[in-house]
Every structure is written in structure tokens, then in C-alpha cells.
């Protein structure tokens, strides 16, 4: 089992450019989560899919951020017109069903740096 | 909404001595699950402990924690810290209304020789 795979591991963009981050959940897991990690804010929830359907996007900034899960094997987080304050580590996690006490397994993250 | 508070951002302890990382929470939900995640340098967060049973001690890798709903706490403890315990520790809560985790601010534990 390869665990949750995230690509790229590091991404550097210029202010105003677009960034697309990829996540491949653990095979057989139906729930996929996105979190953002910064030194100041710690770990913050962004959005969550179950069986590819968006369930909760309460943590997503209303502008410039979007997430999709076109099939059960990958999810993308897209940030349009990136700003320096978007610099963070973006973590993807998956769990068996997103219910009850199901543990969330995290990927290594994508470190986004916006210059 | 839910909130989780870790009062110490940095904790330094000498190897072999006990360590306690504090975690308190606020939630309006009755059914909740608690987790302690540990993140080593340049690695992904991973579950260290989890619990949803009031007043039951949970143990793993020498660490232990007990969920106390009466005091809204889930403190992490270890009787003898090891150098390899140096890492970032997060306390997290999930309520029964959804699947997302609400994390505390994290505590960076440094164990010195």
C-alpha cells in the first residue's frame, strides 16, 4: 500500500499564476479531505469528498479556490490567481468511509510557495 | 463550531523525564471522536492515539491519553520522554455531524539529551 500520494511535493508560483495540486487517495478509501497547514494557523480543514461527491467545503476560501474529484483515484485542488498568503503546505487525507471513528491517513503534502 | 486548544506551542523536556501536552475542546455535540496526530520532520501527520469513550485510558507507543468530557480535555502524556519523540503534535476532534477534523494549534515537543 503506497499510502496517499500527493504531487508535486513542492511548487513555486508567481503572484497571479494558477496552481493545481494533485492527490491520489489510498485504494478503496471513499473519503478524501484537503487541509492547509501554516505555522500561524496550524492545520485547517478545506473541503471533503465522499464517493467523489463534494460533501463539505466550509473551509474553502470563497474566491480563487476550487476542488474536484473526477474519479475515485484522484482529487485536485486548484488555486487561481495565487497570492503570497496562499503559501502553505496543502495536505490531502483519505479514510475508509469518512464515518464514525475512521482514521484519516495523510499524504506528505505539497508545499506551495507564492513569490 | 468546534474548537480545540493546545495551550503550549513549544515544550522542551529532558530525556527520561515525563511529558504532558495539554488539549481542551469546545463542542456542542455529544458524540465525538478524539485523535492525537504526530508529525515528524518532513513527514505526514499520522495518528498516535484515538478515543471516543469517556474516562477510558488509551495507550500507544508509550503515550497515553484519557478523554474527560467533564473537563473537556484529552491530554497526552508519557512517563519517560525519548529523543525520538521530538515532533509536532496535534490534538484533533471530529463530531458526529460530519467527517472533518478540527485541529488544535499544535505543540512542538523537543526532547533534549
Amino acid at each position: 500500500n503506497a499510502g496517499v500520494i500527493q504531487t508535486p511535493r513542492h511548487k513555486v508560483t508567481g503572484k497571479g499564476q494558477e496552481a493545481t495540486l494533485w492527490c491520489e487517495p489510498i485504494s478503496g478509501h471513499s473519503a478524501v479531505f484537503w487541509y492547509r497547514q501554516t505555522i500561524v494557523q496550524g492545520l485547517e480543514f478545506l473541503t471533503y469528498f465522499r464517493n467523489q461527491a463534494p460533501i463539505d467545503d466550509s473551509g474553502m476560501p470563497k474566491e480563487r479556490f476550487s476542488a474536484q474529484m473526477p474519479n475515485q483515484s484522484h482529487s485536485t485542488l486548484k488555486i487561481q490567481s495565487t497570492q503570497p498568503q496562499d503559501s502553505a503546505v496543502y495536505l490531502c487525507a483519505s479514510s475508509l468511509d469518512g464515518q464514525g471513528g475512521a482514521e484519516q491517513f495523510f499524504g506528505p503534502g505539497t508545499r506551495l510557495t507564492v513569490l | 463550531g468546534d474548537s480545540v486548544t493546545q495551550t503550549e506551542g513549544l515544550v522542551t523536556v529532558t530525556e527520561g523525564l515525563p511529558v504532558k501536552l495539554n488539549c481542551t475542546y469546545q463542542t456542542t455535540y455529544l458524540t465525538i471522536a478524539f485523535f492525537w496526530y504526530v508529525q515528524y520532520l518532513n513527514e505526514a501527520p499520522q495518528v498516535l492515539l484515538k478515543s471516543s469513550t469517556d474516562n477510558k485510558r488509551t495507550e500507544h507507543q508509550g503515550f497515553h491519553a484519557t478523554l474527560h468530557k467533564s473537563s473537556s480535555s484529552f491530554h497526552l502524556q508519557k512517563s519517560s520522554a525519548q529523543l525520538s519523540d521530538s515532533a509536532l503534535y496535534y490534538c484533533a476532534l471530529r463530531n458526529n455531524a460530519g467527517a472533518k477534523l478540527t485541529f488544535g494549534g499544535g505543540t512542538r515537543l523537543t526532547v533534549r539529551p
Side-chain angles (χ1 to χ4, degrees):
Chain A
N1 192 332
V4 176
I5 299 171
Q6 290 190 250
T7 55
R9 292 294 308 276
H10 303 273
K11 187 170 182 66
V12 179
T13 66
K15 182 179 175 181
Q17 292 183 328
E18 182 178 287
T20 299
L21 314 180
W22 295 71
C23 169
E24 180 179 330
I26 293 172
S27 178
H29 283 193
S30 63
V32 173
F33 304 80
W34 285 96
Y35 294 86
R36 178 168 61 183
Q37 184 178 27
T38 61
I39 293 175
V40 174
Q41 298 293 334
L43 271 164
E44 302 174 287
F45 168 78
L46 294 176
T47 188
Y48 142 61
F49 297 84
R50 187 191 306 143
N51 294 322
Q52 301 171 230
I55 303 298
D56 181 355
D57 67 353
S58 59
M60 290 280 273
K62 297 307 177 189
E63 299 179 354
R64 303 185 296 104
F65 282 65
S66 63
Q68 294 182 327
M69 191 161 185
N71 57 61
Q72 64 184 7
S73 64
H74 90 273
S75 174
T76 58
L77 179 68
K78 182 180 293 185
I79 309 172
Q80 296 178 309
S81 185
T82 54
Q83 303 298 309
Q85 61 265 32
D86 299 332
S87 295
V89 176
Y90 290 84
L91 290 161
C92 177
S94 70
S95 73
L96 207 54
D97 58 10
Q99 301 292 314
E103 180 179 333
Q104 292 181 24
F105 295 85
F106 281 82
T110 295
R111 181 176 297 277
L112 175 67
T113 302
V114 182
L115 301 176
Chain B
D2 299 336
S3 67
V4 178
T5 301
Q6 295 179 247
T7 50
E8 310 92 3
L10 296 169
V11 170
T12 301
V13 65
T14 301
E15 184 182 17
L17 293 184
V19 61
K20 180 180 179 181
L21 306 184
N22 292 313
C23 173
T24 56
Y25 65 91
Q26 287 187 315
T27 181
T28 56
Y29 293 88
L30 294 178
T31 304
I32 52 177
F34 267 92
F35 302 82
W36 273 99
Y37 276 82
V38 58
Q39 186 177 25
Y40 300 103
L41 193 61
N42 297 323
E43 293 187 13
Q46 55 187 285
V47 168
L48 177 62
L49 290 173
K50 60 180 179 180
S51 177
S52 57
T53 305
D54 197 12
N55 296 316
K56 181 180 178 182
R57 176 171 163 141
T58 301
E59 298 189 38
H60 186 59
Q61 296 182 349
F63 287 91
H64 64 91
T66 304
L67 176 60
H68 290 298
K69 292 186 179 181
S70 60
S71 57
S72 300
S73 68
F74 190 54
H75 306 315
L76 181 68
Q77 300 183 66
K78 190 173 186 182
S79 59
S80 176
Q82 306 300 308
L83 295 175
S84 57
D85 294 331
S86 295
L88 183 57
Y89 291 80
Y90 285 103
C91 183
L93 170 160
R94 183 174 63 230
N95 64 50
N96 65 324
K100 72 178 184 183
L101 291 171
T102 299
F103 287 89
T107 298
R108 184 165 296 283
L109 173 65
T110 300
V111 182
R112 60 189 178 193

